[in-house]
Amino acid sequence: MLVIIAGFAFWLLAIVVVLRLIKIGTLTWPPSRNQVMLWAAVIAVAAVIYFRPHEDILGGQDGGAYLAFGARMARDPHLVYKDQLLNQVPLAARDDFLLYGQARPYRSKFACGRVIDLPRAIIATWFQPAYPVVMSTVARVARPELILFVVPLFVIFTGLALRAVAARIFMHRWAGTAAMALYLASPLVIYQGRNPRPEIIASFLLFSGFALLIHAWRTSFIRKVQLNNEKSVRNMIRGGIRKGMPSWLDVVLGSLCITAAPFFHITAWLAVVPTMLIVVI
């Protein structure tokens, strides 16, 4: 049940964040017709490029392991499970069967799983468990093969996040669109974005968090209201709280995004701690 709840919660967060990114990435609202047409053209071209998952996915390595783990969680939504294939291998030969994990500090059939009980063939997640969980939600509500398109979709979401970051930093109406187009046109992103790469989702979360926190910092009424007298307090109660809600929403959403990023890639911790210190300060 925890896997199911976490999967649906993440997709809900992602949808809410993307809608918010579209809003804050647009400096003048509502956007002009030309802006909408340009965004639609960029996204359409990106969909043609990215919605063609990579042809070469090797089962025992990272990409294939993530896909297999996600498809399995759709059938059996648990992070710890008994591997039926490993269970059929004679105990004396299981170390040879787990050759992939011999060069690692843990026994493993594949990259993102580890054997925690060899005699009973019990396997659990080892690192970055969120990506298979997110894919399992797609496989559960739709078709298993659609998990191939999770990362390509988040490539476009990441482009929207970069668009919002650029728009809020440079405050130019075309800065965001230019950043998004350059990101989506990058050869490295085109290659990696068609593979099962959790780094793409971690990037989406980090850039989304940065965009939302930058916007909150720029627009927060808290920096402008000085609670030095009763009039200031009364004004805040009458109108300030209502006006400041989007800022607080951005802080909450941005913090959630940055906090979730390390569950998709461990290196995201490098951004979490300094960002949280900035938010607290």
Side-chain angles (χ1 to χ4, degrees), residues 53-75:
H54 203 277
E55 296 84 356
D56 300 321
I57 299 174
L58 302 180
Q61 297 185 5
D62 289 13
Y66 286 126
L67 293 172
F69 224 129
R72 187 206 61 78
M73 281 187 187
R75 300 189 302 269

Side-chain angles (χ1 to χ4, degrees), residues 24-252:
I24 69 174
T26 306
L27 299 180
T28 57
W29 194 266
S32 67
R33 180 180 178 182
N34 289 340
Q35 285 178 310
V36 173
M37 291 177 63
L38 179 60
W39 301 340
V42 171
I43 292 174
V45 171
V48 172
I49 295 173
Y50 288 97
F51 280 41
R52 186 172 63 87
H54 203 277
E55 296 84 356
D56 300 321
I57 299 174
L58 302 180
Q61 297 185 5
D62 289 13
Y66 286 126
L67 293 172
F69 224 129
R72 187 206 61 78
M73 281 187 187
R75 300 189 302 269
D76 179 21
H78 296 92
L79 296 176
V80 180
Y81 68 99
K82 183 170 185 174
D83 189 284
Q84 298 300 327
L85 178 60
L86 182 61
N87 192 49
Q88 295 176 28
V89 177
L91 183 59
R94 288 183 187 178
D95 274 330
D96 294 332
F97 184 76
L98 300 172
L99 182 62
Y100 179 82
Q102 287 186 1
R104 296 172 178 267
Y106 58 93
R107 290 188 177 101
S108 176
K109 269 178 61 180
F110 42 73
C112 60
R114 65 188 175 106
V115 180
I116 61 175
D117 189 335
L118 186 60
R120 294 196 298 152
I122 303 298
I123 293 181
T125 54
W126 173 239
F127 67 97
Q128 299 167 192
Y131 180 38
V133 171
V134 169
M135 287 191 294
S136 71
T137 305
V138 175
R140 184 174 296 109
V141 301
R143 300 169 61 182
E145 56 266 31
L146 291 181
I147 62 177
L148 292 167
F149 296 92
V150 170
V151 164
L153 177 64
F154 274 92
V155 170
I156 295 177
F157 287 175
T158 305
L160 291 171
L162 281 170
R163 171 180 169 268
V165 170
R168 287 296 147 185
I169 290 178
F170 297 105
M171 300 302 291
H172 188 282
R173 64 174 182 166
W174 296 114
T177 303
M180 181 179 180
L182 289 172
Y183 171 77
L184 294 174
S186 167
L188 181 62
V189 177
I190 292 174
Y191 177 82
Q192 299 290 355
R194 294 170 49 231
N195 277 284
R197 305 295 298 184
E199 294 90 339
I200 296 294
I201 304 180
S203 300
F204 161 73
L205 292 169
L206 287 177
F207 287 126
S208 296
F210 295 154
L212 292 163
L213 293 177
I214 290 170
H215 180 65
W217 175 75
R218 280 184 174 274
T219 60
S220 177
F221 81 102
I222 297 175
R223 295 181 293 107
K224 300 176 183 178
V225 175
Q226 302 296 324
L227 301 180
N228 294 327
N229 51 57
E230 182 181 354
K231 181 178 180 181
S232 296
V233 175
R234 186 166 55 250
N235 289 340
M236 184 184 70
I237 293 174
R238 288 179 178 176
I241 291 178
R242 181 183 61 81
K243 295 178 182 178
M245 281 303 292
S247 296
W248 281 110
L249 175 64
D250 292 338
V251 170
V252 171

